[in-house]
Each structure stands twice: as C-alpha cells, then as structure tokens.
Amino acid sequence: IFIVMKPPRVTLSLLDASEPLRMRAPTVDEDGKTVTDFMVIFPGLRKEPQIQIQRTTREIHRILARFSDTVVFAELNLALNLLWVSTKPINGKRFEIAEAIRSSIPRARLVSHF
C-alpha cells in the first residue's frame, strides 16, 4: 500500500514497487531543498484482519493529509509493517507528524529519522 503526498493535494495511490525505495522516494522538494525522512513501524499490522489494516491505513492517510503542506512522499510497506515519510526540511515537523501518528495509533514506533 502506497500513500503518495503531492502538495498541496493529497492522493492515495497504488504504485509499482518493483523499483527500490531509494529510486521512488524524492530527495528534494518542489523548491529543490533536500527532504528529511523518517520511518515508523507498526508491529504486527500485516497479521491483523483486513478491516483493521484498512482502518489503520485510513488513519495514517488522515494524519498525513493534515500535514500535506510538509509531507512530500509517504509509503506504507505492509510486508515490512513500515511507513516511510519524506518531508520538507522544517525544524521539528517530522517529530510532530510521528507523534501525531503514535498518538492516534499507539502501536506505532518511530524507528529512524534522517
């Protein structure tokens, strides 16, 4: 499941994941500034019933849409239970987004940020 954010409009798309993430994820925003990235893991999500996976996906989408002015790209890899998010380089925003996700989806854990 892939969530692609393109400011200022938010879209949910299913994309071909045959390319490595490093080839799909943007490295710069529309102004040419280097993006910052972070990952959130959702332990056990892929083993949940499909309805729970859909609820979680909708919630992630809802949260990321609140930050559509900042989020450049997001991808949920259900096989890895991993959400990758690329944002514009705005101090503290990636932590604010990660905290919003964690607050709404308690199982969510910030893994790494770049």
Side-chain angles (χ1 to χ4, degrees):
I1 299 172
F2 303 97
I3 302 171
V4 178
M5 312 298 285
K6 295 192 178 191
R9 211 171 87 136
V10 178
T11 60
L12 175 62
S13 302
L14 295 177
L15 303 175
D16 179 10
S18 60
E19 288 185 323
L21 180 61
R22 64 181 169 78
M23 302 293 286
R24 295 188 315 273
T27 56
V28 296
D29 67 12
E30 68 273 8
D31 298 323
K33 295 181 181 174
T34 303
V35 298
T36 60
D37 305 300
F38 67 92
M39 296 182 289
V40 177
I41 193 165
F42 298 88
L45 179 61
R46 72 173 173 255
K47 294 178 182 176
E48 293 290 326
Q50 188 62 33
I51 191 76
Q52 183 60 36
I53 293 170
Q54 290 171 350
R55 282 185 194 129
T56 301
T57 302
R58 279 194 306 270
E59 186 61 12
I60 292 167
H61 192 263
R62 185 189 68 76
I63 292 164
L64 294 177
R66 287 185 13 219
F67 296 96
S68 64
D69 60 329
T70 305
V71 175
V72 176
F73 174 88
E75 176 180 303
L76 177 62
N77 183 325
L78 194 53
L80 299 175
N81 297 319
L82 186 72
L83 174 67
W84 177 281
V85 181
S86 299
T87 66
K88 293 181 180 182
I90 301 171
N91 265 347
K93 274 296 185 178
R94 65 182 181 261
F95 296 111
E96 186 179 340
I97 296 166
E99 181 56 26
I101 292 169
R102 196 210 56 77
S103 292
S104 183
I105 308 167
R107 80 168 84 196
R109 298 290 179 258
L110 179 63
V111 175
S112 177
H113 61 87
F114 304 89

